[in-house]
Structure formats: C-alpha cells, structure tokens
Amino acid sequence: MTEESERARRSECESEFESEPTTEIDVPESHPRYQSLLTRHRIEHGVEAGITSKQGLIAQGRGEAFDYLLGEETIPSADAAERAAAAQLLLADHPVLSVNGNVAALVPDELVELADAVDAALEVNLFNRTEARMEAIADHLRAHGAEDVKGLTADARIPGLEHERGKVDTDGIYEADVVLVPLEDGDRAEALGEMDKAEIVIDLNPASRSPRVASIPIVDNVIRAVPNITAHARELADADSRTLERIVDEFDADEALEAAEERIRSGEF
Amino acid sequence: MTEESERARRSECESEFESEPTTEIDVPESHPRYQSLLTRHRIEHGVEAGITSKQGLIAQGRGEAFDYLLGEETIPSADAAERAAAAQLLLADHPVLSVNGNVAALVPDELVELADAVDAALEVNLFNRTEARMEAIADHLRAHGAEDVKGLTADARIPGLEHERGKVDTDGIYEADVVLVPLEDGDRAEALGEMDKAEIVIDLNPASRSPRVASIPIVDNVIRAVPNITAHARELADADSRTLERIVDEFDADEALEAAEERIRSGEF
C-alpha cells in the first residue's frame, strides 16, 4: 500500500469512527480543565496515529476518574515516589523505560527527556502486541527525538507470561536492573517484579495490582509524573551514590499507597 | 457504497484500530469480573458497529472506575432512585428514553423492554451528532426489537444549547413531560432540566453535573439500572396514581447523591 493510499484509508477510518475534525487544543493553560483537555486531545491523536487501542481509551477514562478524585495534582507522597524513582534510575547500571501506546501518545517528548536525563533506554512493550502498532509507536518516539528505540528485536521472554505478552529485547527490559513501567497491566508488572529488578510503576489507581507489586509505586498522572521524575533526576545529577541510596531506602511504598487511597477518599467531590 | 464494500471497509478499519478479533465473551457468569468484561465487550462491539465514539470509550473507562469504587453493585439509594424513576415514568403522559451511543451499545434489549414496560418512546440523541451515527444507533435499536425510534426528524431545539447539540423531535423529547437521560452531558442535562420536565439521569459519578441537575439522579451502572427500573415498573404496573406519586415524593435526590458519595469514599479498595 502506498503511503498516500494508506493515509487516505486512515483518514476514512477516522471519519468513520468520529466525524468531527481533531483540532489543536484551543483553551488557555489557566483553564481549570486545561490539563485534562490536553490529555484527552493527545490520547485521541494517539488513536489517529494508530498507537492507542480501544482498551487504551477505556484505560484513559479510568485514569481520568481516579485523577479527578486525587484532585488532578501531584500529591506529596507521589512527589516523594518520583524523587525515589529518579534516584533509583540514576543508580541503575542498565535502566529501561517501557513504553506502551497510551504513554507514547501522552508523553513522547517527556519520555525522551527522561531517558536522556538518566541515560536509560526506551523500549516499546505492548500488552496487545502487533507489528503495526510496535512500528507506529517506535516511529512516534523517533519523531519526538528518540534515537534508539528497543522492543522490535523481541529475542527474549519475561518468564511466566504467555508468548506474545512476554516478548522483550535481551539488551533492553530482559537485562535491565531498573525498569519504569507506566500504565502497566498487573500480570506483566508482577512477572517483571519477579525477575529481580527494581520496578517503578506509574498508575492512578492505588489499589490495582501493578503499583502493589512495584518497588516504587507512583500514584500520579503520567503527564505530571514523567516530567517530575526528570526534574528530580536533573537536581540529583551530581549526588553521590550514598545520597541516592538513602533517598531510595527512605521511600516507603506501602505508606505512599495508603496516602493515595486516603487522598482519594477524602478529596473534594 | 455497496453494503459489502462498506462492510469490507469497516472490517479493515477495525483491524487498523485493534488487531485481535472480537470474540464472544468466554467467561462464566460466576466470574468475579463477568459484568465488567461483558460491559467492555459490548462497548467494543459498539465501536465496530459505528455507534460508540472515542469519547464514548473514555467515558466508559471513567464509569468503570466509579463503579469499581461503588463495589460494582446497585446500592440501596440507587435502588430507591430506580423505583422512583419507574413510578415517575408510569405517571408520565409522554415519557421518552433518550439514547446515546454508549447506552445503545450497552443495553439495547433492556431499553426496548423498559420502553415497553412504561409505554415510553425511544429517541436517539447524541452529543456528537452525525447522520451516520444517528442511523447506526437507530438501526441497532430496531435490530433489538424497537419499533419506533425517534430523533431523526430533529424538528425542534432544546433552548439554551447550540444548534447541533440541541436537536430533538417535537413529538419526542421536546414535548415529553418525563425524560430518562442515561449518561448525559452536563450542559444538556441542565438545559433539559430547565424545560420544566421531570428528568431522570443515570450517571456513575455523583459529583458530575448531570445527576446534580436531575429530579431523580441514579448513581448506578446503566447495565444494572435500566433492567432494575423495568423490574420496578412491572411490579408497580397496577399501582394507583396516589401510590406512584408518594413513591416519587418520598425520594430525596440530595440524600441519594450523598449516599453514593459516602459509598465511594468508604468502599473497599
């Protein structure tokens, strides 16, 4: 299929799916719903680019509801988790940032910046793996400045997961000592956690399995969490290992999950 | 475009959007996630049938999160609201059930049964109105047994809404004395409420504007709420007007919203 006919077909599919044109977000940053409108705009663009799935849109909605209950802000325990994540990534010998469709759609620039700040690899890793989506996501990351995108080699498996779900790169997630998995499925978060890696999970539902199996669970919106990990990493760039280790050790995962639950329960409706 | 080429194009679009085939739900009813898996299955079929929009998928996810916090069950205050809704619909001279894409995808049979039980009209009414989606939803309802589907005439307007958003049928929502609007947008729920109608809203977020402007807000999953309204209507079929009026009068909307908020805050995580 030529690029042009592919584009024509895609545009036809979009108009089938939702008829109004997608326009740039036309609200000022001061608008109380700016962040949620921007988030939704990016995720819808993700569908058009072939990188966000139907499941991804539903997951986005679940996240919106939890974020709403959290007050749509980075709560202090999440900021502490983001600082610990930055320290953990800086301490790593071989850190990898795992990227799925929603994450690529929501924070492509921010992921490239974080990978740069902590010298980590980016690896595309999908729950519903198809070559077309893998390529679309890798292309999207490259268009946002990523130089080396892993995940397409798929020459290793995460133990305990069925074949397609477990595919990873040997020199990527398989051999990583620290993995950041934003918006990860519970089974895979658990299987990764059993591989003797430090696992950092970003998830807006403090009760879902992924943050519960993580060594560092971050209950925050990826759109706020990823740039904040980068900001902490830049601030800690010159810190010695002892300082970084102390930051990681002082972080208490259970306490952070409890604080998030508490916030969700007591937040303003 | 022939029906066959239309089907071929649609199937191509689906494979573009999500590659795995949609199969019938293959889990027993006793499965703890049965209802949420069935719900998701129906909504995804809605996308394939051209009746659920991207916004609809995101809204579905938000609903899932609130339903999860509610315990995925009809709480007593919601059951009371559903009983009051049944009484209100039975008392009506001209009741209309408003149907959008998600509602049509999730509860087509159940809507037809409710319309039958309370002698109400069904009217397709979309936030993102396009003729193609209007027709697809009307076809879907007819395939599930609806005889008369309103909404396509669009010869009246709800005051206070921009042109496309406000389109309704004169002999449908415009002249209705009682309207059931499940999963409605806040602006439209408010505009309808100002038209001197009794408005019944189904919404899983007790803090969103639609249930707050409703005369009878139902904080429940449509997949449970609609059949439960029907069950109450059948039980009340022979009740006299005084009994029905007492049921409506005794229902307290603010109390029901507070009970739902309380449940969300105190539910098991």
Side-chain angles (χ1 to χ4, degrees), chain A residues 183-197:
Chain A
L183 316 181
E184 184 52 276
D185 163 70
D187 281 343
R188 294 206 306 168
E190 196 159 5
L192 277 172
E194 282 168 11
M195 280 178 82
D196 196 30
K197 300 177 190 306

Side-chain angles (χ1 to χ4, degrees), chain A residues 9 12-13 44 55 265, chain B residues 9 12-13 44 55 265:
Chain A
R9 191 179 65 79
E12 199 182 337
C13 291
E44 293 193 355
Q55 290 297 348
R265 287 183 196 288
Chain B
R9 192 180 64 80
E12 198 182 336
C13 290
E44 292 194 355
Q55 289 297 346
R265 287 184 196 287

Side-chain angles (χ1 to χ4, degrees), chain A residues 19-181:
Chain A
S19 69
E20 66 261 76
T22 305
T23 52
E24 269 306 297
I25 178 169
D26 191 23
V27 288
E29 274 195 52
S30 58
H31 188 288
R33 311 287 308 154
Y34 174 78
Q35 191 183 277
S36 94
L37 292 170
L38 179 66
T39 303
R40 199 174 294 179
H41 177 74
R42 288 190 186 174
I43 210 91
E44 293 193 355
H45 259 307
V47 173
E48 285 150 32
I51 62 185
T52 300
S53 66
K54 285 199 286 284
Q55 290 297 348
L57 287 175
I58 295 175
Q60 169 64 21
R62 283 197 302 275
E64 279 184 16
F66 282 106
D67 202 20
Y68 167 82
L69 292 168
L70 273 173
E72 292 177 350
E73 63 176 17
T74 299
I75 64 175
S77 58
D79 183 61
E82 285 151 12
R83 188 169 179 81
Q88 185 74 271
L89 286 163
L90 287 169
L91 283 166
D93 289 322
H94 184 33
V96 175
L97 315 183
S98 178
V99 183
N100 67 17
N102 277 20
V103 176
L106 290 171
V107 283
D109 291 324
E110 294 85 348
L111 281 170
V112 171
E113 280 166 33
L114 175 57
D116 181 59
V118 300
D119 199 17
L122 291 167
E123 178 162 341
V124 183
N125 196 251
L126 303 180
F127 187 74
N128 291 315
R129 185 188 180 96
T130 70
E131 287 314 303
R133 278 186 68 222
M134 293 292 293
E135 291 286 358
I137 293 170
D139 284 350
H140 186 69
L141 291 173
R142 287 187 203 108
H144 284 268
E147 278 167 22
D148 181 28
V149 180
K150 298 189 189 297
L152 298 159
T153 312
D155 53 353
R157 303 279 173 280
I158 304 170
L161 291 178
E162 54 166 309
H163 193 78
E164 283 301 304
R165 302 270 194 250
K167 281 184 173 175
V168 289
D169 283 12
T170 299
D171 66 351
I173 288 175
Y174 190 79
E175 290 186 345
D177 54 347
V178 177
V179 193
L180 172 74
V181 279

